[in-house]
């Protein structure tokens, strides 16, 4: 039915000439129930970590924003604000701009260094057309290290063209934002504060934000009127709070970037390590991931966040021989969502990436799913608006959620179960690392991780794998019960 007509105008934005400008592969050990990759469509460019300095925004014309029914012609471009400039937000903005929508990408920290393992699957390089310049290391070997320090070499099934990409987020995110800008998105160096009406009513959505143009230390309060908002502002999302998206449990990730001697760095040039044990985390894992000229050493936990520094100290202890002589050059910490939020859309506002809670259990993988969800949400807007020419509503945004849940619900569920089974005790972790030594396990899980697609298995080997899994769980339970029996009462 037709909506009430309301005449409003979009806020003017100062005009300046435009200038061109801990994610982890442990899921490879966890699940073959993963996803099909999309075709690559984006245009690559050369970039190696330069800070975005051009933050200007094209002036938004004063237009008639009469509200019309969803599906009705607008007589102008659909205006979309994307809040947050990480992989989710940048990929959403890129897709929207290419699809004909007037797009505003709002990000406060243009040089943000988010604490993150920085691992990306091989399929993401092609699917999102990422240039090799933003990939610090190509990991082809991994070690899974048990509570008793038993090390299992993983990656034996990879061919000479397969690898896990290791990136620095400050480099990757900046590249994605610059590409979105080159395709027509408007970069706004601003801090989102609130929105008034999420589009449940008939009016435009008014965004309040602090503008930090020209490197201002104090932001200038401004408003912007748009048709759609995509919240990509991370685990502490203000957009999520504005639509009462609900709370979720979260992990704390703590990471230190350590500059180690060249001979030590040579050891890690194409190798990543993952450590499990009660000492480094009661419910997660620790890692040593190679970067451009240093290693990232970190851990995480959900159940005992206040002890995160104790776990990090234990993680440094476990890796101290291989990182001897190193100097800590950066210390980082950040929340990681543990499950999707109860509400991910309201009116004409939707959530993507960490803001929506799209980080997998067991592995903590989030970069690929952030970029993918941002693109999928934007694709739904572009499709339903017929390239930014028609009005959209909540039902149009929900089409993205329906597609997402059908595609990835099983993946999240399986990894949740695996985390509960194998991360609950040291005996279970020992069994998990033991399973990782199996070549068939490596092939199935590596292929699933690298290509985000279900890999057909050999029925006989699948039966053997099931038997080995059950045997490992039974053995872990027996060891745990024996350990409990030895504890004096």
């Amino acid at each position: 039915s037709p909506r009430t007509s309301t005449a409003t105008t979009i806020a003017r934005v100062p005009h300046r000439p435009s200038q061109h400008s801990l994610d982890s592969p442990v899921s490879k050990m966890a699940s073959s129930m993963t996803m099909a990759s999309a075709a690559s469509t984006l245009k690559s460019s050369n970039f190696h970590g330069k800070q975005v300095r051009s933050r200007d925004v094209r002036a938004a014309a004063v237009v008639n924003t009469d509200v019309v029914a969803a599906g009705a012609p607008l007589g102008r471009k659909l205006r979309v604000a994307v809040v947050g400039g990480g992989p989710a937000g940048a990929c959403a903005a890129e897709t929207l701009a290419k699809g004909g929508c007037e797009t505003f990408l709002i990000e406060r920290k243009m040089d943000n260094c988010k604490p993150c393992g920085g691992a990306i699957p091989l399929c993401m390089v092609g699917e999102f057309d990422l240039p090799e310049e933003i990939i610090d290391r190509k990991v082809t070997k991994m070690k899974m290290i048990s509570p008793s320090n038993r090390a299992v070499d993983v990656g034996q099934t990879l061919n000479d063209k397969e690898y896990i990409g290791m990136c620095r987020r400050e480099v990757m995110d900046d590249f994605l934002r610059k590409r979105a800008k080159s395709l027509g998105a408007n970069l706004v160096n601003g801090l989102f504060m609130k929105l008034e009406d999420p589009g449940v009513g008939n009016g435009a959505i008014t965004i309040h934000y602090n503008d930090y143009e020209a490197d201002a230390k104090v932001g200038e309060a401004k408003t912007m009127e748009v048709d759609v908002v995509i919240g990509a502002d991370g685990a502490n999302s203000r957009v999520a709070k504005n639509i009462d998206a609900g709370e979720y449990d979260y992990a704390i990730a703590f990471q230190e970037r350590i500059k180690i001697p060249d001979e030590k760095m040579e050891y890690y040039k194409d190798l990543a390590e993952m450590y499990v044990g009660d000492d480094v985390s009661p419910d997660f894992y620790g890692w040593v991931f190679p970067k451009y000229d240093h290693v990232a050493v970190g851990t995480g936990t959900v159940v005992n966040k206040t002890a995160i520094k104790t776990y990090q100290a234990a993680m440094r202890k476990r890796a101290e021989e291989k990182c001897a002589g190193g100097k800590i050059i950066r210390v980082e910490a950040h929340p990681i969502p543990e499950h999707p939020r109860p509400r991910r859309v309201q009116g004409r506002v939707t959530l993507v990436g960490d803001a929506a809670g799209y980080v997998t259990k067991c592995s903590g993988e989030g970069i690929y799913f952030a970029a993918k969800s941002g693109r999928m949400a934007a694709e739904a807007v572009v499709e339903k608006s017929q390239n930014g020419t028609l009005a959209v509503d909540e039902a149009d945004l929900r089409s993205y959620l329906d597609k997402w849940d059908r595609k990835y619900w099983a993946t999240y569920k399986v990894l949740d179960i695996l985390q509960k089974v194998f991360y609950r005790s040291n005996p279970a972790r020992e069994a998990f690392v033991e399973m990782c030594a199996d070549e068939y396990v490596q092939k199935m899980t590596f292929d699933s991780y690298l290509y985000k697609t279900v890999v057909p298995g050999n029925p006989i080997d699948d039966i053997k794998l099931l038997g080995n899994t059950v045997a490992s769980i039974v053995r872990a339970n027996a060891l745990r019960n024996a350990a409990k029996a030895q504890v004096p009462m």
Side-chain angles (χ1 to χ4, degrees):
S1 60
R3 298 171 179 168
T4 304
S5 177
T6 304
T8 59
T9 56
I10 188 168
R12 291 182 180 274
V13 183
H15 173 65
R16 292 166 53 193
S18 175
Q19 300 175 16
H20 287 289
S21 31
L22 289 191
D23 277 53
S24 163
V26 74
S27 57
K28 304 184 296 298
M29 300 297 104
S31 170
S32 61
M33 301 183 66
T34 44
M35 301 69 69
S37 67
S40 170
T41 57
L42 300 176
K43 188 177 181 180
S44 64
S45 62
N46 293 324
F47 174 71
H48 194 61
K50 294 183 179 179
Q51 179 179 344
V52 171
R53 299 192 181 280
S54 173
R55 305 186 184 115
D56 50 309
V57 183
R58 187 178 66 228
V62 177
V63 297
N64 186 334
T65 57
D66 285 351
V67 178
V68 296
L74 287 169
R76 56 173 174 81
K77 287 186 176 182
L78 186 79
R79 291 191 305 280
V80 185
V82 181
V83 180
C91 289
E94 176 184 279
T95 303
L96 290 164
K98 287 177 63 178
C101 300
E102 185 175 11
T103 307
F104 298 89
L105 178 58
I106 303 172
E107 170 61 44
R108 173 65 186 100
K109 297 180 179 179
M110 295 291 183
D111 58 351
N112 186 37
C113 301
K114 181 182 175 182
C116 178
I120 60 172
L122 180 61
C123 68
M124 186 174 179
V125 178
E127 185 176 346
F128 290 86
D129 203 11
L130 301 178
E132 289 198 358
E133 286 84 356
I134 71 167
I135 299 173
D136 287 340
R137 299 279 176 176
K138 294 181 178 181
V139 168
T140 58
K141 297 180 290 186
M142 301 190 66
K143 285 187 182 292
M144 291 291 299
I145 302 171
S146 77
S148 64
N149 279 328
R150 176 191 178 187
V152 169
D153 291 321
V154 179
Q156 304 170 48
T157 62
L158 295 180
N159 64 42
D160 57 2
K161 295 182 179 179
E162 293 177 322
Y163 63 89
I164 300 162
M166 291 291 173
C167 302
R168 285 167 291 163
R169 285 291 300 274
E170 62 269 28
V171 174
M172 180 183 198
D173 295 6
D174 214 6
F175 164 77
L176 292 172
R177 284 193 296 268
K178 292 186 83 170
R179 186 164 66 183
K181 182 179 186 298
S182 72
L183 293 168
N186 301 289
L187 290 186
V188 180
N189 184 200
L191 177 63
F192 171 84
M193 302 304 291
K194 66 176 183 178
L195 54 84
E196 292 179 7
D197 178 355
V200 175
N202 292 330
I205 302 173
T206 301
I207 289 177
H208 295 254
Y209 69 101
N210 290 341
D211 191 321
Y212 287 86
E213 292 299 319
D215 296 320
K217 293 183 179 180
V218 179
E220 178 184 354
K222 291 186 178 181
T223 61
M224 179 188 298
E225 291 182 349
V226 296
D227 303 295
V228 177
V229 174
I230 294 178
D233 48 337
N236 293 321
S237 171
R238 291 186 177 183
V239 176
K241 290 180 175 64
N242 272 249
I243 65 170
D244 295 321
E247 298 301 323
Y248 49 31
D249 205 359
Y250 63 93
I252 288 292
F254 193 99
Q255 177 174 275
E256 294 167 327
R257 300 196 192 192
I258 302 177
K259 179 80 171 178
I260 60 177
D262 291 344
E263 63 271 17
K264 301 287 186 180
M265 198 66 214
E266 180 67 17
Y267 171 77
Y268 284 112
K269 67 178 182 179
D270 56 0
L271 171 72
E273 293 180 327
M274 286 170 286
Y275 294 76
V276 291
D278 283 333
D279 57 337
V280 299
S281 176
D283 57 337
F284 208 54
Y285 63 93
W287 63 86
V288 180
F289 289 167
K291 303 296 181 180
Y292 176 66
D293 59 356
H294 61 276
V295 292
V297 180
T299 186
T301 180
V302 177
V303 301
N304 194 3
K305 301 178 183 70
T306 58
I308 187 65
K309 290 187 178 180
T310 301
Y311 299 133
Q312 178 66 11
M315 184 57 221
R316 283 199 308 271
K317 183 70 175 175
R318 293 275 293 272
E320 67 177 345
E321 182 179 343
K322 287 168 281 191
C323 295
K327 179 183 179 181
I328 297 174
I329 57 177
R330 182 186 290 273
V331 178
E332 308 163 320
H334 201 273
I336 300 175
E338 280 289 290
H339 57 79
R341 288 188 186 270
R343 172 184 286 168
R344 290 168 287 160
V345 64
Q346 183 184 31
R348 283 170 276 124
V349 178
T350 193
L351 304 175
V352 295
D354 283 14
Y358 295 151
V359 177
T360 59
K361 288 284 192 73
C362 190
S363 68
E365 182 185 4
I367 296 178
Y368 175 84
F369 295 112
K372 187 71 170 180
S373 62
R375 178 181 282 184
M376 287 176 66
E379 286 174 341
V381 172
V382 170
E383 177 186 354
K384 299 297 183 180
S385 70
Q386 293 188 17
N387 296 100
T389 62
L390 307 179
V392 297
D393 62 8
E394 181 173 321
D396 297 324
L397 297 184
R398 284 195 179 278
S399 67
Y400 133 69
L401 292 183
D402 293 341
K403 184 177 180 180
W404 176 270
D405 290 343
R406 286 195 304 270
K407 192 176 185 66
Y408 297 125
W409 180 88
T411 297
Y412 283 84
K413 191 64 177 177
V414 168
L415 291 173
D416 185 13
I417 293 171
L418 287 168
Q419 178 167 322
K420 291 174 181 176
V421 170
F422 288 112
Y423 286 4
R424 59 184 174 157
S425 68
N426 276 353
R429 296 181 187 102
E430 291 284 354
F432 175 63
V433 173
E434 179 184 335
M435 286 179 57
C436 293
D438 186 276
E439 186 174 319
Y440 184 66
V441 171
Q442 292 188 26
K443 176 173 175 53
M444 294 295 291
T445 53
F446 250 115
D447 287 354
S448 297
Y449 172 80
L450 291 176
Y451 301 108
K452 292 291 177 282
T453 185
V454 176
V455 180
N458 181 301
I460 295 177
D461 287 329
D462 285 341
I463 293 172
K464 290 180 180 178
L465 176 58
L466 176 61
N468 290 339
T469 302
V470 172
S472 294
I473 294 172
V474 170
R475 185 161 55 255
N477 285 333
L479 291 171
R480 184 176 61 171
N481 293 335
K484 286 181 178 179
Q486 294 175 4
V487 176
M489 299 301 290

